Amino acid sequence: MGKRIAGARLSLLPSFVLLVGCGAVFTQRNDPAASQNSTSNSVGNNANAASATGVRSSSSNASDANLAGNSGVVTPTPTPNLTPTPNPAAPSPTPTLIAHPPTPPPTPTPTPTPTPASTSGNPCVDTLTDAYSSYREQVCANLNQQRAAAGLPPFTLVKAISAVTQAYAVDMNSRGVLDHFSANGESPSDRLTAAGIAWNASGENIAYALVTPAVVVSLWMSDAAHRDNILNPEYGHLGVGYYNGYWVTDFTD
């Protein structure tokens, strides 16, 4: 059944420090002869949404009593006045990337309807036409620049896949998590199948990033697992979702 890669959690700051995890390349193929087995690795951070205030730490001092005196007489030393040490400045939230390991498909194989493709000459024209159409088109265009540099054909932005990814971006925002799996345990490929989208291989990149489409693509490209999804020659279609900093891109053959 398809391939899954997870995404990054980031916040819009003057600079980032990427914490890269390769725990989630989620791969599935529709192969009736394949036996069912699953492997999953989780390295990196399953996403808590990045806080604008960061993680605060504090330090405090404790007073010690000094024992002094001659002839065995203990003279207590007055406790000094303690001036609280101010909390250090909150560190900048750091980006987080997550991913899933390969998982073969279950049997029997689903038989959904064929994947609808864009009829436009521009493969990145969004036909979902909501408030985030511009974001979808820019992500697609930036991904295709990376594909062209690697000598690969471009992705085609597909309305039906974008509808799935857009709904999942809203879902992650409502739950306040960054995870490839829905609250009911559905994987990315499960969500595609439930929407009637045919696929033989599929993958997913997700991120929490208050950044531009070009920057989130750059962050995905900086991590090997996410880059492998983007440059996978098996994939030719994609859908993009964005909501309140949550990014979702699903890839299919």
Side-chain angles (χ1 to χ4, degrees):
M1 295 179 67
K3 243 188 209 177
R4 288 291 171 264
I5 280 196
R9 168 180 238 151
L10 316 166
S11 29
L12 180 58
L13 293 166
S15 62
F16 310 111
V17 177
L18 290 182
L19 302 179
V20 175
C22 296
V25 177
F26 179 82
T27 302
Q28 295 187 339
R29 280 187 173 71
N30 282 334
D31 181 359
S35 62
Q36 182 177 13
N37 46 62
S38 64
T39 345
S40 68
N41 258 328
S42 179
V43 178
N45 298 321
N46 279 339
N48 292 320
S51 166
T53 58
V55 179
R56 302 185 69 85
S57 61
S58 61
S59 60
S60 61
N61 296 321
S63 59
D64 295 322
N66 294 321
L67 298 181
N70 299 320
S71 306
V73 178
V74 177
T75 303
T77 301
T79 302
N81 292 328
L82 296 180
T83 302
T85 303
N87 289 337
S92 301
T94 53
T96 304
L97 300 176
I98 59 174
H100 286 272
T103 303
T107 52
T109 12
T111 55
T113 57
T115 302
S118 170
T119 56
S120 169
N122 178 354
C124 291
V125 170
D126 180 46
T127 56
L128 191 57
T129 59
D130 61 11
Y132 304 103
S133 286
S134 172
Y135 283 18
R136 277 189 284 274
E137 291 180 350
Q138 290 178 63
V139 168
C140 178
N142 279 276
L143 290 173
N144 281 345
Q145 287 178 10
Q146 300 296 335
R147 299 270 291 184
L152 296 169
F155 289 120
T156 297
L157 187 63
V158 177
K159 178 180 181 179
I161 304 176
S162 288
V164 173
T165 56
Q166 184 63 34
Y168 193 59
V170 173
D171 176 65
M172 284 196 295
N173 178 74
S174 68
R175 291 186 289 141
V177 301
L178 183 68
D179 194 348
H180 288 287
F181 290 88
S182 306
N184 63 1
E186 280 187 333
S187 70
S189 54
D190 291 334
R191 292 189 290 274
L192 292 173
T193 300
I197 296 168
W199 56 272
N200 293 306
S202 68
E204 180 175 86
N205 285 0
I206 60 177
Y208 178 81
L210 297 172
V211 293
T212 65
V215 171
V216 78
V217 169
S218 176
L219 291 168
W220 280 333
M221 286 296 294
S222 72
D223 174 64
H226 296 80
R227 184 170 60 249
D228 287 348
N229 263 1
I230 294 168
L231 301 182
N232 189 330
E234 290 186 272
Y235 298 151
H237 302 89
L238 61 74
V240 180
Y242 173 81
Y243 187 77
N244 198 27
Y246 287 90
W247 301 85
V248 184
T249 299
D250 280 7
F251 309 92
T252 68
D253 56 307

